[in-house]
Amino acid sequence: MVSYVVSAPRSGMNWLRFCVEHFYGVRTPGKTSLIDRQDDPSVAFLRSHDALNWTRKREIGLWRYIDPAGTANDRVALVLRDPLETYVRMSKKSLLRFRCYVSNIRFYSDAVSPQKRVFYYDDLVAQPVAMLELMQFLDIAPAPGRTAPSLDRVRAEWDELGARSRAQYDVRQAVGGGSKTRENPTDFRYHQRALTDWHRDRAWRFLQRRLRPDEMALLARYGPPAPMRRPLLSYVTDLY
């Protein structure tokens, strides 16, 4: 059994990794967070930023391909952020880059695993219980001498861990500007405020054309508009 976490970049993976390594004492995949590879070569779960390889072709690593038909015995967690935030923060308004967001939802939809669940960035940042539920869902075995955390413990350490995680993120992601909402982590619409109506419509139209109704329903909390007619010109502009 393998546990997978699938999410677009900038969707809370660093925060999840920090919590898992802190509470369970086991390493997570990616650049060193709290536990070095030399100290623990194994990983608590596998991850992908583009599970169907719609933007990059990778068999292993952080952008690995995952066959949805091969997940029958696995656990699959999909982490979603407000698509407009991802469109700005990660995709930089490029629909070619934004395809990984759709890829991950389609992978989740097609995954044959009976143990699959959607988690939301907003909840994982704001609610200790949501983070605990995700860690429990992944069925992580604590390191020797450790025990799985209780909700009371997660709540008691939540604010301190959040501050430490954001400070680490600012160092590790300095090239990308670090955390933009360090003073207000629950400002979940920070990046999209500068979007023009044209860009908002473009992002939602892109999703509506590529996602099935049941898949669009996963984004209901973010207030998608009613299905929009597609102007002829957008067939060209949606390529960039």
Side-chain angles (χ1 to χ4, degrees):
M1 190 274 287
V2 177
S3 291
Y4 291 106
V5 180
V6 174
S7 66
R10 315 286 186 174
S11 297
M13 179 60 70
N14 285 284
W15 176 224
L16 170 62
R17 294 185 59 212
F18 194 94
C19 287
V20 168
E21 296 194 11
H22 172 80
F23 287 116
Y24 289 83
V26 292
R27 192 173 70 86
T28 57
K31 297 178 181 178
T32 299
S33 182
L34 298 177
I35 302 175
D36 190 87
R37 183 188 300 268
Q38 295 181 345
D39 299 323
D40 183 0
S42 62
V43 290
F45 54 82
L46 296 180
R47 56 185 278 202
S48 179
H49 285 318
D50 182 5
L52 295 182
N53 276 184
W54 285 6
T55 56
R56 303 187 187 186
K57 302 299 180 183
R58 299 285 191 275
E59 294 301 321
I60 60 174
L62 307 186
W63 293 79
R64 71 174 64 235
Y65 172 79
I66 308 171
D67 181 1
T71 61
N73 299 315
D74 302 323
R75 291 174 177 263
V76 174
L78 171 65
V79 178
L80 293 175
R81 187 174 186 175
D82 186 320
L84 295 184
E85 290 293 286
T86 298
Y87 176 69
V88 178
R89 180 72 166 122
M90 184 282 293
S91 302
K92 302 185 186 301
K93 304 177 187 177
S94 164
L95 294 180
L96 294 177
R97 293 166 60 94
F98 196 41
R99 285 187 299 181
C100 69
Y101 193 93
V102 179
S103 164
N104 292 334
I105 294 177
R106 178 58 46 79
F107 162 77
Y108 174 83
S109 178
D110 291 349
V112 297
S113 170
Q115 300 185 90
K116 61 181 183 179
R117 184 172 168 184
V118 179
F119 296 85
Y120 292 93
Y121 170 88
D122 317 38
D123 298 338
L124 297 175
V125 170
Q127 302 176 20
V129 66
M131 178 60 75
L132 181 61
E133 287 176 356
L134 173 52
M135 294 190 294
Q136 291 175 334
F137 175 80
L138 296 175
D139 196 27
I140 300 168
R146 298 286 195 100
T147 58
S150 66
L151 180 56
D152 285 343
R153 182 186 172 195
V154 176
R155 283 173 171 162
E157 300 181 30
W158 188 254
D159 291 339
E160 178 189 354
L161 289 181
R164 287 173 53 196
S165 175
R166 288 188 291 275
Q168 181 192 78
Y169 187 86
D170 283 344
V171 173
R172 293 174 56 200
Q173 302 291 337
V175 174
S179 174
K180 302 296 186 180
T181 58
R182 66 179 65 84
E183 302 303 325
N184 186 9
T186 58
D187 183 355
F188 297 125
R189 297 194 172 189
Y190 173 86
H191 299 286
Q192 63 187 273
R193 288 199 181 97
L195 282 179
T196 63
D197 289 342
W198 183 87
H199 269 293
R200 290 176 185 275
D201 290 347
R202 180 175 183 248
W204 279 117
R205 186 170 58 240
F206 180 82
L207 294 172
Q208 290 171 343
R209 291 191 67 246
R210 287 159 178 80
L211 294 176
R212 300 187 287 252
D214 60 311
E215 296 168 338
M216 279 299 300
L218 299 178
L219 305 178
R221 65 161 56 192
Y222 299 116
M228 294 174 282
R229 295 183 62 184
R230 182 175 171 80
L232 179 61
L233 181 60
S234 69
Y235 282 96
V236 177
T237 58
D238 278 6
L239 295 177
Y240 303 97

